[in-house]
Amino acid sequence: MGIFKGKWLALAACAVLLATGLAARAEDAAQALPKKYIIVASHPLAVEAGLKELRRGGTAVDAAIAAQMVMGLVEPQSSGIGGGAFLMHWDPKTGHVESYDGRETAPMVVKPNLFLKPDGKPMPFLEAVFGGRSVGVPGVIAMLWMAHREHGNRPWAELFDDAIRLAEDGFPVSNRMAAAIARDPGLPLIPDSAAYFLPDGKPPAAGTMLKNPAYAATLRLIAAHGPDGFYRGEIAEAIVHAVQNAPRGPQSLTLSDLSHYRALKRTPVCGTYRTYRICGMGPPSSGGITTLQILGEIEHKDVTEIAPNSLRAVHLFAEAQRLAFADRAAFEGDSDFVRVPVKGLIDQRYLTKRGALIGFDAALSADMVLPGKPAGGDLMLRRLRVPDHSKPSTAHLSVIDGAGRAVAMTTSVEGPFGSHLMAAGFILNNQLTDFSFEPAFDNRRLANAPQGGKRPLSSMSPTLVFGAKGKLYAVIGSPGGWRIIPYVTQTLIGLIDWHMDMATAIALPHVTSRSATVEIEAGKGLEALTSELKALGHDVSPQAMDSGLNGIRVRDDGYEGAADARREGGVGGD
Ligand code: GLU
């Protein structure tokens, strides 16, 4: 089948593919589904790199590594080796689902007041983002190394070849990357980053060939030395130098912070929805828990009988989100630092009770959308305020290899271009701004308060779905900040309740909510429901939504892959 964008090759995608030198023919789309292996990733060049590994007999993890190294080059606004990631893995031979945590950690110097101004008030968001203060110790390399040792097949060093070649020979700046650079207020503030992203002081036009020899040199070191090539020696020194000498918000991230970084195996969070088993990422991500909570709250409603995009569907989905996000804010954080009542939060009886709060005649009033009382929940952790920042960054990839092993990996430098600092050819994340800026509420420490060594709470939701007899049914995930959770959950509802194919489920107009405001995806027809939603008591806000749902559905006749048309991802397989 080769490589093409989305499920059906769009004309716009041809431009991307042709610009990247890949042949793409419209009739590809009509060909049979891939049967051997498949990758869906956020950029055609990353798809190509991953597909090459799959064709060489590489595993899903091998393909994910090769794709990630390219993504850090061609989509640096979204993810890279200076960021963090979560990876879910399934092996049909053992039947084991495993989850890997490559989330950034706060340098040991970090105190709960990290993002407070001298007057005790939280700083403006972008002031916190740009520069050294927001940088966590990157986790991508340590996590991928760990996953590769357990599930890799191809030699580690060779997985970097494509990215090194593209960094040295040059790659075409995509439409999305060009637009991200052109609208970014932070790049001009950081001279090293401006030198790379704004050659001659101007944003590059789409299609401009860009080279990144510093990134190629960095990848050669990591290829040769593994994580030691990143967490020790000259790359580590470059990271420390960039953060400690940042033109804004310099921070004491140290060599010791880097050498002590550890990727972690976490217990996956699994639950059932109707006849399916759904496994996602546990703390420090809220993705797995919150997805299962929303589904658990609607499970006793007859969703199959509710038409997609109808008033009832939008209302029900929004209300379930509000309840789940109230729990998220109250109880979730890094479980190595705070007790997260995972079992209690996804307990089916608890969720049935929560779901029973939802009625179809009126929206819940704000004072009814409070955290619940899950078993083991410590209300001292109650947190009522949640920041709201839209982030057209982060990326997701889904892979199934020749032996049926699956990877769902969501990977991020947090906001577009992370902290905007660069070291050794790559962007350093701003993941620490995922901590709550206010460390306490009513003098009580919040679950997601900043602290040295702690991992900020994430929404990333790489997800594996299993059907009858534990057979893999779907692999899915998305970028989108906190909206990742509704994006992924809605896709699951589309697949499971509405029996949609992957592309149709991904294309569903989005509905997101964690307050009295229901956000509807603008221009997709949902505006017609505004007056009825208002009559139920909702505020309604149409918005552009920048999901990047990249998923695979397993069918009897092959693998059905789809990349979200809202971004520039693609599908490749044989
Ligand atoms: N930093 C976010 C998180 O971990 C992801 C940001 C995004 O999706 O754009 O939840």
Side-chain angles (χ1 to χ4, degrees):
M1 163 184 116
I3 303 174
F4 59 90
K5 170 166 163 140
K7 187 179 173 200
W8 296 284
L9 185 65
L11 274 181
C14 288
V16 175
L17 291 168
L18 296 176
T20 58
L22 298 174
R25 290 169 310 146
E27 60 267 31
D28 283 348
Q31 287 178 6
L33 297 175
K35 288 188 175 55
K36 294 192 213 156
Y37 38 73
I38 183 167
I39 175 167
V40 189
S42 59
H43 190 289
L45 289 172
V47 172
E48 189 186 11
L51 185 56
K52 261 190 210 163
E53 295 305 330
L54 293 170
R55 284 183 172 148
R56 288 176 181 138
T59 65
V61 166
D62 295 330
I65 296 170
Q68 171 70 82
M69 295 309 136
V70 172
M71 283 152 70
L73 177 71
V74 300
E75 205 195 1
Q77 69 273 26
S78 292
S79 78
I81 61 175
F86 294 109
L87 186 153
M88 304 286 304
H89 185 272
W90 185 63
D91 187 343
K93 240 204 205 137
T94 60
H96 288 164
V97 176
E98 291 165 285
S99 67
Y100 295 83
D101 168 1
R103 185 70 163 169
E104 296 86 339
T105 52
M108 291 316 289
V109 71
V110 161
K111 300 277 178 298
N113 65 355
L114 178 67
F115 296 122
L116 295 182
K117 295 187 296 186
D119 66 1
K121 300 237 164 66
M123 13 179 103
F125 186 69
L126 288 183
E127 187 181 324
V129 168
F130 301 146
R133 193 178 280 109
S134 63
V135 181
V137 180
V140 165
I141 291 294
M143 185 197 79
L144 291 177
W145 174 261
M146 186 185 223
H148 184 260
R149 289 186 72 113
E150 296 181 5
H151 299 293
N153 183 6
R154 299 257 307 123
W156 168 262
E158 290 178 27
L159 302 175
F160 297 76
D161 288 352
D162 257 36
I164 292 171
R165 179 180 50 76
L166 286 164
E168 283 174 347
D169 297 351
F171 66 93
V173 172
S174 71
N175 291 337
R176 205 177 150 79
M177 179 173 166
I181 296 172
R183 66 165 173 259
D184 195 280
L187 292 172
L189 306 175
I190 312 280
D192 287 353
S193 308
Y196 175 64
F197 288 107
L198 302 164
D200 311 319
K202 284 198 310 276
T208 305
M209 295 301 285
L210 204 58
K211 294 184 183 177
N212 188 342
Y215 183 62
T218 291
L219 293 188
R220 283 189 197 283
L221 276 174
I222 302 168
H225 303 292
D228 279 352
F230 183 85
Y231 292 98
R232 296 167 193 276
E234 62 185 84
I235 299 178
E237 281 159 20
I239 295 171
V240 165
H241 180 84
V243 178
Q244 291 191 356
N245 298 288
R248 301 162 70 99
Q251 176 71 287
S252 291
L253 186 148
T254 64
L255 287 174
S256 160
D257 288 319
L258 283 159
S259 64
H260 282 92
Y261 183 85
R262 295 288 173 270
L264 297 167
K265 287 284 275 287
R266 299 280 188 184
T267 308
V269 173
C270 297
T272 53
Y273 180 62
R274 309 205 192 279
T275 57
Y276 292 83
R277 180 164 176 258
I278 295 172
C279 292
M281 195 68 219
S285 182
S286 60
I289 294 172
T290 314
T291 298
L292 287 171
Q293 283 204 305
I294 297 170
L295 293 173
E297 285 161 7
I298 66 170
E299 186 156 17
H300 292 284
K301 322 274 178 199
D302 197 354
V303 182
T304 313
E305 292 302 310
I306 300 177
N309 312 323
S310 65
L311 177 67
R312 279 171 88 80
V314 172
H315 168 76
L316 174 63
F317 187 42
E319 295 285 87
Q321 288 179 56
R322 293 172 68 196
L323 291 167
F325 275 103
D327 273 357
R328 176 192 189 270
F331 301 111
E332 297 193 45
D334 181 348
S335 51
D336 289 343
F337 286 74
V338 292
R339 193 159 46 83
V340 181
V342 179
K343 261 182 139 173
L345 286 167
I346 60 169
D347 178 76
Q348 282 186 320
R349 268 166 312 176
Y350 170 70
L351 294 174
T352 304
K353 262 197 174 146
R354 294 282 280 169
L357 296 172
I358 303 172
F360 282 103
D361 299 334
L364 290 164
S365 59
D367 57 358
M368 291 176 73
V369 186
L370 294 174
K373 293 194 171 72
D378 177 356
L379 283 172
M380 293 302 285
L381 301 175
R382 181 174 291 230
R383 173 184 167 212
L384 298 175
R385 289 182 37 177
V386 268
D388 177 15
H389 305 286
S390 161
K391 299 161 189 166
S393 48
T394 306
H396 178 82
L397 62 80
S398 295
V399 194
I400 299 177
D401 68 24
R405 287 168 292 233
V407 160
M409 178 171 88
T410 311
T411 173
S412 177
V413 290
E414 219 300 285
F417 304 103
S419 65
H420 293 65
L421 295 176
M422 273 186 107
F426 58 89
I427 282 287
L428 292 169
N429 69 84
N430 69 307
Q431 214 70 248
L432 300 192
T433 56
D434 273 0
F435 281 125
S436 47
F437 279 32
E438 288 164 287
F441 183 80
D442 274 354
N443 288 326
R444 289 175 303 194
R445 178 70 62 82
L446 300 176
N448 191 30
Q451 192 173 336
K454 193 174 174 185
R455 299 175 188 220
L457 183 63
S458 169
S459 296
M460 292 196 269
S461 310
T463 305
L464 301 172
V465 184
F466 301 91
K469 296 197 185 125
K471 206 172 150 265
L472 182 69
Y473 176 65
V475 185
I476 186 73
S478 179
W482 68 268
R483 294 184 185 86
I484 290 172
I485 293 166
Y487 293 159
V488 168
T489 309
Q490 187 183 34
T491 308
L492 297 176
I493 295 169
L495 292 172
I496 293 173
D497 285 316
W498 294 327
H499 310 290
M500 291 171 168
D501 61 42
M502 185 55 89
T504 309
I506 286 175
L508 276 167
H510 292 316
V511 175
T512 66
S513 179
R514 58 178 185 179
S515 67
T517 302
V518 179
E519 302 167 345
I520 52 173
E521 186 173 8
K524 298 276 177 92
L526 293 181
E527 284 91 342
L529 301 173
T530 304
S531 58
E532 287 168 292
L533 283 166
K534 284 190 172 159
L536 288 176
H538 295 286
D539 285 334
V540 181
S541 166
Q543 306 202 0
M545 302 228 186
D546 201 24
S547 59
L549 288 151
N550 291 329
I552 304 165
R553 188 169 73 123
V554 180
R555 293 179 11 183
D556 290 341
D557 56 344
Y559 297 125
E560 174 191 273
D564 198 325
R566 301 169 184 89
R567 295 203 180 194
E568 60 191 16
V571 183
D574 293 314

